[in-house]
Amino acid sequence: MLPWLVRCRSRLLALENQAIFRAIALAVVFLAFAIRLYRLGAVGIEYDEAFSIRTAAGSLQQILFTVATYEPHPPLYYSFLHVWYPIAGATEFALRFPTVAANIVTIVFLIKIADLLEWREAGLIGAFLLALNPYQVWYAQEARMYTPVACFGAGAVYGALRILRRGNRRDLAIHVIFAILALYSHYYAIFLVVFLNLQAGAWMLMDQGARRRVWRWLEAQAVTAACYIPWLAYANRISLYYTRPPVNLSDMAGIAAEALRDFSVGTSLPVSLAVPCSLVFLAVLIIGIWAAWRPPGRGQSWRGLMAAAGYLLHAPFLGAVVSIVRSMYQPRYFLVGAPAFFLVLGLGLARLRRWSRPAGAAVGALVIASQLASLAGYFTDPRYDKSEVARAIMEVGKHALPGDAVILAGWSQKDEFWYYHDLRGVEPAPGYVLPLSGPHGWSLTLPEIDQIMRQHRGAWLLTYSVLEVDGRHLIETYLARNYYQVIARPVINNYLFYYTAAPPTAPHVVRLEDACNGEVMLEDFEYHTVAARAGEVLPLALRWRALARTPRDYVVSWRLQDSEGHVVLQRDSPPASGFAPTSSWQPGQEVVDRYGMLLPAYLPPGRYTLEIVVFDRASGAVCTFEHGGQPVPGTALSLAEITVLDGPPAPAIDGPRPAHPLDLTLGSLGLVGYDLDPGPYHPGDQVALRLYWRVLHPIPGDVTVTTRLIDEQGKVLDGLTEPLGSAAFPTSRWQSGRTLATYVDLPIPARSPSGTYQIALELNGGGIASHRIDIDPPVTVVGRPHDFTVPTVPHPLRATFGGAIDLLGYGIQPEATGTLAPGGQIELTLFWRAVTVIDEDYKVFTHLVGPDGKIYGQDDAVPLDGEAPTTSWIPGEVVRDRYTLSIPPSAPAGRYTLTIGFYEPLSGRRLPLVGRHADSLAIASLKVVG
C-alpha cells in the first residue's frame, strides 16, 4: 500500500509541476503578445518595410526577378505578403501582424527546445527576457523577414533535436518544413543548416543511440537540399555575387559589438548606458555557456555545449567567414540565432541563482530593468522613432492642397511615398524624386525644380536621405535662394519644408538703407501685395549688403502684430533659410533673403503691422539699426502695414496648433484650445492668453469674456471683462465654420506675492449660457520685496520722467572726477522712485556719448535685470537699479557724457522729462584718455 501511495504522490507532484510550468509559459506568451500589439499600427511604415510591400505588390514573376537580381533576400516573405495584404488589408497593423505572430511562435519554440534539453527553468527565464527585449519588439513590429527566419529556424532546431532523440517521421517533417521555410526567408539560414549538420554529426559520433538515426537524418537533409539547391542555381547572381562595400576584420568586430548591444538592450539606450549593460549581458552569456557544459550534479555535457554555443554563435561566426568574400554582415541578420541568445541568458541567470540568490536576483533585476528602460524609449522617445519619413509624408497628406507637389530629396524615400500615395491614398500630392539620375542628372535637376514650381501651387520638400545623394545640400540651397520658404517644421529628428513661388508680376520695392551694428545694411524690402485673405501666403524679401566682415550669424525674426500689440505670428529664420550665414558674407556682397509669410486662417480681418527684429544667434543680442547715421528707435524695424481682408479664409496649408487642445462646446462657439506661457511671471507683467474658437452657428449678439486671476486660497486678485471679438470684428460678424483667435491680456497686480494662480474664463451674451472655464496649467508668479526707504544717494539729482518716475540720483564707479581708459568699465547705480501706478513696461537706456556725438557704451535693460518691470512698481517704492557700461578699446580720447532715460521697447517711444524739452538726461561727464 505504501509504495502505491508514494507513486501516486510522485505523479500528482509531477502533474502539478507540469501545470505550473504551462501556466507560466502561457503567461509569458500573452505578455509578449500584448507588448507587440501595443502601437503596432501607430508607427508609420519605414523604408525597408515599404520596399517589402512594393516588391510584394508586383506579380509573382516580378518578385522572383527582383530577388534573383538585386534584392539580397530569398522570395518567401515577399510572396507571402503578395497573398496576405490583399486579404488582410494594407494598413500598418495588418502588414505587421504576421511578424508579431512569428515572434510569438519563436517564444513557444524556445520553451520547447529548452524542455527537450531539460533546461525548463532557463527556458522560461529566456522566454521572459525575449518577451521584454526591445530589439525583438522592434523587428516583431516590422514588415520584414528577420523575425520569420528566427521563427522558422527555431522550428528547424526543435525538429532536429527531436530527430536526434527519437527520429520518427513526424519529427523529420517538422525539421524539413521549417528548415526549407527558413532557407527561403533569409540566406543566413544556410549557416543554421550547416550548424545543425555539424551538431548532428557530433551527436552521432558520441551517442550510439543517435547513431542509429543517421539515415533518417540524411534523408531529411536530402529532402531539404533537393528543395533549396534549385533556388540557389536560379538566383546565383544575387546569392553568390551580391556586392557591397567589403568589410574587414575590424569592421566585423565593431558590428559584432553592435549586435551584442542591440540584442541585449536594443537601440533606445544612450551608448554610455548601453555599453556597460551589454557587458553584463555578455558575462551572463559566458556563465550560461558554462552551465550548458557543466549542468548541476552531472559531468561534462558536450551535447548541451554544442546546442547552446553553436546555436548562439553560428550566425556571427559563419557570417564573418563568408563576408570576407561576399559582404553580408549586419546585426539584424543574426536574428536567426536570437532564440539561443535568450536561452543561454536564461541558463546563466539560473546558474547565478544557484550560486548566490542575492547575486542572481541583483543581476536579473539589472538585466530586466535595462530592457524595460530601453523598451520605454522605443515606444515613447521620438529620437528612436523609425518612421521619420512616414510621419513627414503623412503630415504632408494632412495639409497639402490641390496643386501642391512633393519633392523627395533622395531615392530611399520613394517606396514610402509610394505606399502612402499610391497604395493607401492618404498622400494627395504627386511626388518627384531628385536629383535626377544619369551622367547629366545634376545639370538637369535645378531646371527640373523650376519646372515643378511652375506647374504647382507649391512644393513640400522631404530631406530625410539628402546626405546620401546631395551632401552639399544643392537642392535645399537652390529652393531657399530662389523661392519662398513658408514652413520649416520639425518632424521627429528632421525638418519638413514648404516652398512657393512669387506671382509673375513685378514686386514693389521699398528703399530702407538701415545699417545693423555697422556690419550689414538692409537695403530694401520687396513685396507683391499687402492685402490678402487669411490663409494666403505673402511672398516677402529683404535685400542685404555686407558692410564689413562679421563673426556673427544674424537671424531675422519676422513678426506680425495686431492693433493691440499682440504678436499673432512670429518665425525666426537666418538669411536664405540658413544657406547664406552672415559670417560668410564678404564686404560688398548682396544677399536676397526670401520669406513666405502664411497668414494664419484664424486671423480676424483687420490691419496688422509687419516688422522684423534682427539678433545674433549665439548671444541673442538684438541688432541696433541706424538710418543715415542716426539710431532707429526701438528694437523692431517696421516694414509694412498688412491688411487681412474680410470674408471666408483661403484654403490654408496649416491650421491652428494650440499648445493646449480642447473640445469644449459653449452654445454657438466651441473652444478648441489655447496658448499660455505658464511663467514664471513677475508682479506688473501681463499674462497673454490666446484662445482658439470654432464658430458652430451664427452668434446672435456680441459676446463678452471675463478673465479672473485667482490665488491659491480661491481669492480673486484681479478681473477683466472685455468683448470677445475686436471692435472692428465683433462676434456678431463671425461666420459659421471659421476658426478664429482672440487674445486676453491679464495684468499681474503689483503687490502679488509669490505663488501659483489659476486663470478662469467666463463667457456671457450672444445666447451663450454662463460657464466657468479653468485654464491649466496655473501660472507661476515670483514676487519681490518692495522698499519704500529713501537711502543715502552718492550723487543726489532730481528729475521726473513722464510724471510717473522720479530720479533721486546716482552712484558711479569709478567716480566722474577721475579718468577712464579705453577698454574699461563703468558701474552705474540709478535710484528711482515711483510717483504713481505705471501702466507700461519701460526699458532704461544708459548711453555713453563720445565727443563726436556717437554712442560708445550702452546698457539697456528692464530695471533690476528684468526682475522689476516698471508695471510692478508701487507708488512711493524706491528701486536701486544697476548697469555696466563697457568702453570699447577703439574709443577716442576726450570728454564723454553719460545719458539716461526710459523708452517703450516695441515702439521706441521715450518718456519725456517733466519741465524740460527733452527725453533724455545727461547725469555725468567723464574723461577718457588714450
Side-chain angles (χ1 to χ4, degrees):
M1 188 68 176
L2 185 60
W4 180 83
L5 289 174
V6 171
R7 286 196 300 274
C8 286
R9 182 175 180 274
S10 299
R11 289 173 183 173
L12 287 171
L13 287 174
L15 288 173
E16 182 181 352
N17 290 337
Q18 183 72 8
I20 293 172
F21 170 74
R22 289 182 176 177
I24 295 174
L26 195 61
V28 170
V29 168
F30 274 110
L31 173 66
F33 193 51
I35 292 173
R36 282 146 183 78
L37 287 183
Y38 178 64
R39 292 179 54 82
L40 182 62
V43 178
I45 293 294
E46 56 102 13
Y47 164 70
D48 279 344
E49 294 179 291
F51 178 84
S52 295
I53 301 160
R54 190 164 192 181
T55 302
S59 65
L60 291 175
Q61 182 178 2
Q62 290 172 325
I63 292 172
L64 290 176
F65 174 78
T66 298
V67 298
T69 52
Y70 62 87
E71 161 58 8
H73 299 303
L76 178 62
Y77 183 71
Y78 303 116
S79 303
F80 167 78
L81 273 188
H82 176 82
V83 177
W84 171 260
Y85 88 80
I87 299 171
T91 64
E92 293 90 344
F93 187 97
L95 289 165
R96 290 169 174 152
F97 187 80
T99 52
V100 168
N103 200 236
I104 298 304
V105 175
T106 303
I107 294 175
V108 174
F109 275 131
L110 187 155
I111 295 171
K112 285 186 167 293
I113 291 169
D115 194 23
L116 277 178
L117 294 170
E118 300 179 2
W119 296 337
R120 274 193 169 186
E121 180 186 3
L124 291 176
I125 296 173
F128 178 68
L129 295 177
L130 193 155
L132 298 181
N133 183 260
Y135 201 63
Q136 290 291 317
V137 174
W138 178 296
Y139 280 103
Q141 293 189 331
E142 182 158 287
R144 292 290 283 169
M145 69 291 297
Y146 306 114
T147 298
V149 74
C151 172
F152 299 146
V157 171
Y158 176 67
L161 291 175
R162 288 176 63 97
I163 290 174
L164 294 173
R165 285 181 175 274
R166 294 184 303 184
N168 58 38
R169 291 282 178 180
R170 180 185 172 190
D171 301 329
L172 186 146
I174 291 173
H175 170 71
V176 169
I177 290 171
F178 280 106
I180 293 172
L181 289 174
L183 288 167
Y184 274 94
S185 295
H186 198 279
Y187 286 113
Y188 260 56
I190 296 173
F191 305 148
L192 178 67
V193 172
V194 171
F195 150 67
L196 289 175
N197 276 278
L198 292 174
Q199 175 182 258
W203 278 34
M204 290 172 187
L205 286 174
M206 293 185 293
D207 187 341
Q208 189 172 0
R211 207 173 301 160
R212 291 195 298 268
R213 289 179 282 280
V214 62
W215 293 110
R216 187 62 50 85
W217 179 261
L218 292 176
E219 182 183 356
Q221 303 315 300
V223 173
T224 303
C227 292
Y228 189 60
I229 289 176
W231 168 254
L232 289 180
Y234 174 76
N236 68 88
R237 174 180 169 184
I238 195 69
S239 59
L240 298 178
Y241 304 110
Y242 178 70
T243 57
R244 275 185 179 176
V247 289
N248 53 39
L249 291 178
S250 63
D251 294 333
M252 293 181 195
I255 293 170
E258 180 186 349
L260 173 64
R261 190 169 67 245
D262 291 346
F263 274 49
S264 299
V265 294
T267 60
S268 306
L269 281 186
V271 174
S272 59
L273 288 177
V275 170
C277 286
S278 64
L279 294 177
V280 173
F281 276 75
L282 178 60
V284 176
L285 287 172
I286 293 171
I287 295 172
I289 291 175
W290 169 265
W293 183 39
R294 300 294 297 269
R298 306 179 195 175
Q300 297 175 351
S301 173
W302 292 102
R303 286 192 295 188
L305 178 63
M306 283 187 293
Y311 192 10
L312 174 66
L313 300 174
H314 77 275
F317 177 74
L318 294 177
V321 173
V322 172
S323 290
I324 296 174
V325 179
R326 181 198 189 273
S327 177
M328 50 184 301
Y329 209 63
Q330 296 291 336
R332 60 184 179 273
Y333 294 175
F334 306 157
L335 283 169
V336 68
F341 183 89
F342 297 97
L343 181 56
V344 175
L345 276 179
L347 284 168
L349 289 174
R351 177 55 62 91
L352 267 176
R353 188 184 66 82
R354 290 190 179 93
W355 286 346
S356 169
R357 284 183 180 272
V363 174
L366 176 61
V367 166
I368 293 170
S370 61
Q371 288 199 329
L372 288 174
S374 182
L375 189 62
Y378 167 70
F379 281 125
T380 62
D381 194 330
R383 292 176 299 172
Y384 305 110
D385 196 310
K386 61 183 177 182
S387 61
E388 283 188 304
V389 179
R391 291 278 188 92
I393 292 171
M394 289 188 283
E395 185 75 8
V396 173
K398 293 177 185 176
H399 301 287
L401 295 175
D404 283 347
V406 178
I407 296 176
L408 308 169
W411 58 268
S412 66
Q413 306 169 47
K414 180 174 62 175
D415 290 334
E416 288 154 286
F417 186 82
W418 168 88
Y419 171 76
Y420 288 103
H421 182 274
D422 296 288
L423 188 62
R424 294 286 303 280
V426 299
E427 169 53 70
Y432 299 86
V433 179
L434 297 178
L436 299 176
S437 58
H440 304 290
W442 270 113
S443 63
L444 299 174
T445 293
L446 302 185
E448 177 70 8
I449 293 175
D450 294 331
Q451 181 69 14
I452 293 169
M453 298 304 293
R454 281 193 296 269
Q455 292 178 349
H456 294 277
R457 175 183 179 273
W460 298 85
L461 176 65
L462 276 65
T463 61
Y464 287 81
S465 55
V466 67
L467 294 179
E468 300 173 10
V469 295
D470 184 13
R472 293 182 294 168
H473 300 277
L474 298 178
I475 295 171
E476 295 171 85
T477 303
Y478 188 79
L479 280 165
R481 290 182 174 176
N482 294 276
Y483 297 96
Y484 297 83
Q485 189 185 94
V486 181
I487 287 177
R489 177 173 303 143
V491 180
I492 307 179
N493 300 315
N494 215 304
Y495 276 83
L496 174 66
F497 303 99
Y498 182 75
Y499 289 91
T500 188
T505 57
H508 302 281
V509 179
V510 178
R511 195 68 179 169
L512 296 175
E513 295 186 338
D514 293 310
C516 167
N517 292 344
E519 295 176 331
V520 293
M521 171 76 77
L522 179 55
E523 294 192 316
D524 52 51
F525 164 62
E526 296 181 1
Y527 66 92
H528 289 265
T529 182
V530 290
R533 290 187 296 163
E536 291 186 333
V537 175
L538 300 181
L540 310 170
L542 300 174
R543 185 178 300 275
W544 297 92
R545 178 166 56 87
L547 301 175
R549 289 295 303 269
T550 175
R552 284 173 284 275
D553 284 324
Y554 288 110
V555 176
V556 179
S557 180
W558 296 83
R559 300 175 182 181
L560 194 64
Q561 281 192 350
D562 66 10
S563 58
E564 297 177 351
H566 302 117
V567 178
V568 300
L569 174 65
Q570 176 177 340
R571 184 170 142 217
D572 299 343
S573 174
S577 302
F579 291 100
T582 54
S583 59
S584 69
W585 294 1
Q586 302 297 321
Q589 179 182 351
E590 289 194 347
V591 175
V592 177
D593 180 21
R594 290 179 168 84
Y595 171 67
M597 174 172 282
L598 173 63
L599 299 176
Y602 55 76
L603 280 186
R607 295 182 67 82
Y608 297 83
T609 301
L610 173 64
E611 61 185 25
I612 61 169
V613 174
V614 180
F615 62 91
D616 176 19
R617 181 199 293 273
S619 67
V622 175
C623 172
T624 301
F625 280 103
E626 290 185 353
H627 184 84
Q630 296 299 316
V632 177
T635 57
L637 193 63
S638 181
L639 298 179
E641 291 292 322
I642 304 295
T643 300
V644 175
L645 302 174
D646 199 355
I653 58 174
D654 202 7
R657 294 171 174 264
H660 303 277
L662 280 178
D663 185 12
L664 185 61
T665 300
L666 303 165
S668 300
L669 284 175
L671 181 58
V672 298
Y674 57 90
D675 297 330
L676 172 66
D677 182 356
Y681 294 93
H682 298 93
D685 288 347
Q686 283 194 331
V687 179
L689 177 65
R690 176 156 59 181
L691 303 161
Y692 298 90
W693 305 96
R694 166 70 69 178
V695 185
L696 305 175
H697 308 287
I699 303 172
D702 292 337
V703 180
T704 62
V705 57
T706 300
T707 312
R708 296 183 177 92
L709 188 67
I710 305 170
D711 67 12
E712 296 169 355
Q713 287 73 42
K715 179 183 175 183
V716 177
L717 268 69
D718 204 356
L720 177 68
T721 299
E722 57 187 342
L724 184 61
S726 65
F729 195 59
T731 53
S732 57
R733 291 182 54 195
W734 291 8
Q735 302 96 355
S736 296
R738 284 204 66 174
T739 298
L740 293 162
T742 64
Y743 294 83
V744 173
D745 295 318
L746 187 62
I748 306 289
R751 294 181 181 270
S752 299
S754 297
T756 57
Y757 294 81
Q758 181 74 56
I759 295 176
L761 304 178
E762 186 176 344
L763 267 60
N764 290 283
I768 296 175
S770 179
H771 181 79
R772 171 170 163 168
I773 306 167
D774 288 331
I775 301 297
D776 289 318
V779 296
T780 301
V781 175
V782 179
R784 61 180 181 83
H786 300 275
D787 188 359
F788 297 89
T789 304
V790 178
T792 301
V793 179
H795 299 279
L797 193 61
R798 286 289 185 268
T800 301
F801 289 86
I805 302 171
D806 280 345
L807 174 67
L808 303 180
Y810 67 95
I812 191 170
Q813 289 293 333
E815 288 291 342
T817 54
T819 58
L820 299 169
Q825 286 187 334
I826 300 170
E827 301 293 336
L828 177 67
T829 302
L830 300 172
F831 295 84
W832 310 108
R833 182 170 57 190
V835 177
T836 184
V837 174
I838 306 169
D839 295 327
E840 294 283 348
D841 280 329
Y842 293 103
K843 267 189 170 182
V844 176
F845 67 83
T846 57
H847 292 168
L848 187 63
V849 182
D852 53 3
K854 292 184 178 180
I855 297 173
Y856 284 90
Q858 180 176 359
D859 187 6
D860 294 5
V862 172
L864 297 188
D865 291 327
E867 297 296 318
T870 53
T871 50
S872 71
W873 293 9
I874 299 172
E877 177 182 4
V878 176
V879 178
R880 303 185 187 197
D881 200 14
R882 294 178 174 82
Y883 296 86
T884 300
L885 291 85
S886 298
I887 304 171
S890 59
R895 176 95 20 206
Y896 285 68
T897 302
L898 188 57
T899 304
I900 65 170
F902 287 88
Y903 68 94
E904 200 277 315
L906 292 176
S907 65
R909 178 178 59 85
R910 291 184 177 184
L911 274 180
L913 279 162
V914 175
R916 313 185 194 191
H917 296 290
D919 54 16
S920 63
L921 179 66
I923 62 171
S925 178
L926 305 100
K927 185 178 181 181
V928 175
V929 297

